[in-house]
Amino acid sequence: MTARVGAPEHRVTVPTPRALRRDLRQRRRDHSNRTLGQALDDLYLWLFAVLMVGSMAGTTLSRAWLEIARCSGSGCVDARLVLPLPLGAAVLALAVRTLVALGPLVASRASGTFLLGTPVDRRGMLLRPAAALLAGAIVVGAGLATVLVLLTSDHPVAAGAGALAGAGVGVAAVAGSILAQGAPKVRRALGIGCDVVVVATLAFVPLLLLDRAVWSTTWARPGPLLAVAVVATVAAVGLAVAVVGRLGRLPRRELVAGGELLSGLAGAAASLDTSMVSDLLVARRFRQRGAGRTLRGHGTGLVGIAVREAQRSLRSPQRLALAVGLLAVPYAVDRIGVPTLTPLLAVVVGYLALRPLGGGLHVIARSAGLRRAFPFTDRPLRMAFAAPLLAAAVLWALAALPAVAGNSMLVFGFSAPEPAAVTWLALAATVAAGGIRSVTRQRVSYDGPLISTPAGALPAGFVAQIFRGPDFALVGIVPLVFGLPWVLALGLPLALLAFAAYRG
């Protein structure tokens, strides 16, 4: 009779998150091949880039503020007092919208598989990244609120109360974004709410043209700011506590999806391919949305293609809302006392607002196989897909015309302003030419000879692809900005539009 020998039991001890991070840190150090000199070299490049960009931005802002200060009329003073509040609300809404789109907590696929998929406490693994986001929200929120308060009031107590209120609002915004992660309906509602806030705040700016004060500047006094600081601090503490309890239940798929999007955006930024950024954001949006409602088209042939492309643009109402909201920028610039920059900023803002409407033209321009599936030649097919973009540029320029008409530097002695119709058509043609040329750009090519740049040696074709689109937008508005004769102010944008539509 044989005795049964029991197998020894092996108990696996689950490490704590702190012990796991310490072990991973030690292993990275053991396998690192970077020297101290390389680390110092990277630090030097980062510091140099930050200082250079900061000095350029500071110089530009100081010059703009000096030009704004020259306008001493009542309208300019009222605009400088009123604009900081809607500007702060719009920046806060855009920040929350960006956080919701990215995660805000993200993890790479490797981390999601080998770390978050283990029995290790997930809350302990995510607590440090969440704390870093909240700390960054305190710094950014306090700094932004202080700047906005100082634009309206020079009271030191108001500045301090504004910093406290900004820090509380920043923490509450980041904590709310973390709580919305993993709840698709809440996240979508939060995104729609942010879009509404951006459009609503920008919509108040044109009311300044009617010499009507939208609200008083009592918000920049110490009393209201202290009240907001107290409420924001209480809300921030409550939301932060809720975040700590929610971290352990965040779904891994949401963390990995945000990490993949961030990795793709980093790759697109490293290659300076803006089209890839747009493709990644659109793909993530419709992947989260799932199935959509089918719409019946109208017309046949090229007309039917143009109608379907317009319907596709209408499936993204936030893009149209953003285009409408950005109309306030030229009016605000004209109102605060910088009318000479209004035409240039109108073209830049129009390009940014209408560029997303050319998604169909972008796909057709890059896919030769898809073009062969249509029974049309390439140029008529491109014009059909570009028709909604052209119509949107005409309407957008007509809406921005009151702020742009008559504003030019007049440095060449032509004192007579261009007719309103010339300004309208020139603005529409410039925005449309830049948008069409941008969406029809091909993939970034790294072939060809190298050219020397401050960032190092870069392929010539690579540099040309980066500025394809903005070059037409900036060149086309030059005659209008400098007050050149109306024949040149209208002829150059129309020529650029014809070239972009014919050659892409």
Side-chain angles (χ1 to χ4, degrees), residues 6-350:
E9 296 183 0
H10 297 281
R11 294 184 178 181
V12 179
T13 303
V14 178
T16 62
R18 178 177 298 180
L20 183 59
R21 282 196 300 267
R22 184 171 57 250
D23 190 15
L24 290 175
R25 190 183 306 113
Q26 183 62 39
R27 290 180 182 273
R28 290 192 189 99
R29 291 175 180 175
D30 294 340
H31 295 279
S32 177
N33 55 3
R34 295 184 62 188
T35 62
L36 179 61
Q38 293 176 343
L40 293 177
D41 188 29
D42 293 341
L43 178 62
Y44 165 75
L45 292 177
W46 274 103
L47 291 177
F48 179 77
V50 170
L51 292 176
M52 183 178 64
V53 173
S55 62
M56 293 172 59
T59 303
T60 303
L61 291 176
S62 62
R63 290 182 179 179
W65 189 253
L66 289 176
E67 186 171 355
I68 291 172
R70 295 193 187 103
C71 181
S72 58
S74 60
C76 297
V77 176
D78 291 341
R80 289 195 292 266
L81 294 177
V82 173
L83 284 178
L85 185 57
L87 177 62
V91 171
L92 176 63
L94 288 176
V96 174
R97 190 73 172 86
T98 304
L99 290 174
V100 171
L102 292 178
L105 290 177
V106 297
S108 64
R109 183 169 291 277
S111 299
T113 301
F114 297 107
L115 291 180
L116 300 180
T118 61
V120 180
D121 184 20
R122 184 173 299 180
R123 182 177 64 180
M125 297 297 298
L126 299 176
L127 189 59
R128 182 169 294 185
L133 285 175
L134 295 176
I138 293 176
V139 176
V140 175
L144 179 61
T146 303
V147 171
L148 294 177
V149 171
L150 290 177
L151 291 177
T152 305
S153 173
D154 57 354
H155 199 287
V157 179
L164 292 177
V169 171
V171 171
V174 173
S177 303
I178 296 175
L179 292 177
Q181 191 172 3
K185 293 183 179 180
V186 177
R187 182 174 55 195
R188 184 176 181 182
L190 189 59
I192 295 176
C194 292
D195 295 337
V196 171
V197 170
V198 172
V199 176
T201 51
L202 293 176
F204 280 112
V205 179
L207 295 179
L208 298 175
L209 295 175
L210 304 177
D211 292 330
R212 298 177 181 177
V214 182
W215 45 68
S216 62
T217 57
T218 55
W219 64 271
R221 297 178 181 177
L225 289 175
L226 286 175
V228 173
V230 172
V231 174
T233 303
V234 173
V237 171
L239 291 174
V241 172
V243 165
V244 174
R246 171 70 176 170
L247 287 177
R249 299 191 300 271
L250 285 178
R252 184 176 58 176
R253 63 178 182 276
E254 295 292 338
L255 299 170
V256 174
E260 290 179 346
L261 176 62
L262 194 61
S263 177
L265 294 177
S271 61
L272 298 179
D273 191 354
T274 56
S275 299
M276 185 186 300
V277 175
S278 176
D279 295 342
L280 289 171
L281 294 177
V282 171
R284 176 176 171 82
R285 174 175 174 268
F286 283 100
R287 191 185 305 116
Q288 292 177 344
R289 184 175 180 178
R293 184 169 57 90
T294 303
L295 299 177
R296 181 180 295 274
H298 302 280
T300 58
L302 295 175
V303 176
I305 293 176
V307 172
R308 295 298 291 176
E309 177 64 10
Q311 290 178 339
R312 185 203 61 80
S313 300
L314 294 176
R315 295 182 74 95
S316 301
Q318 66 273 13
R319 294 180 179 178
L320 301 179
L322 181 61
V324 174
L326 288 177
L327 278 172
V329 174
Y331 287 99
V333 173
D334 179 67
R335 182 64 178 176
I336 63 178
V338 198
T340 55
L341 295 179
T342 305
L344 178 61
L345 289 180
V347 168
V348 173
V349 172

